[in-house]
Amino acid sequence: MGLWRVLLLAIIHIILLNLNGYNELFTNNAQSLIGLTQDFSPWIKGLKANIKFSWDAYNYAHLNRSKIHLLTMLPDVMRMET
């Protein structure tokens, strides 16, 4: 294998390692609890009210951006020459 082929394959591998894209994962979680207590003792002796509300949410997003370079086919073309 000639020196130019070795250099070309090294450059191709560097390009493919650095320019393939990226992968990201985003998650978040929200929880809420609200409570209200009211004392009605002035109007009705011993009467109290307690109200509670709860809310939960979980979000997930997966982002994958990738690309295929024409350079990925170059090693196959170079093999076909010999």
Side-chain angles (χ1 to χ4, degrees):
M1 189 182 285
L3 180 62
W4 69 271
R5 281 190 176 181
V6 173
L7 290 174
L8 186 59
L9 285 174
I11 292 170
I12 290 170
H13 287 289
I14 290 169
I15 290 171
L16 292 178
L17 285 173
N18 291 323
L19 301 176
N20 271 343
Y22 60 95
N23 191 16
E24 290 188 70
L25 177 67
F26 301 98
T27 60
N28 63 23
N29 189 16
Q31 297 176 341
S32 177
L33 176 63
I34 299 171
L36 176 67
T37 303
Q38 180 66 47
D39 186 7
F40 294 104
S41 291
W43 298 283
I44 302 172
K45 189 174 183 176
L47 182 61
K48 292 182 181 179
N50 190 1
I51 299 171
K52 290 187 180 178
F53 174 76
S54 178
W55 174 77
D56 298 330
Y58 177 78
N59 294 306
Y60 168 89
H62 181 219
L63 180 63
N64 184 7
R65 298 280 189 241
S66 61
K67 48 190 166 181
I68 298 174
H69 297 279
L70 293 175
L71 293 175
T72 57
M73 294 181 269
L74 194 54
D76 295 331
V77 173
M78 290 173 60
R79 270 189 238 117
M80 294 165 85
E81 290 178 0
T82 57

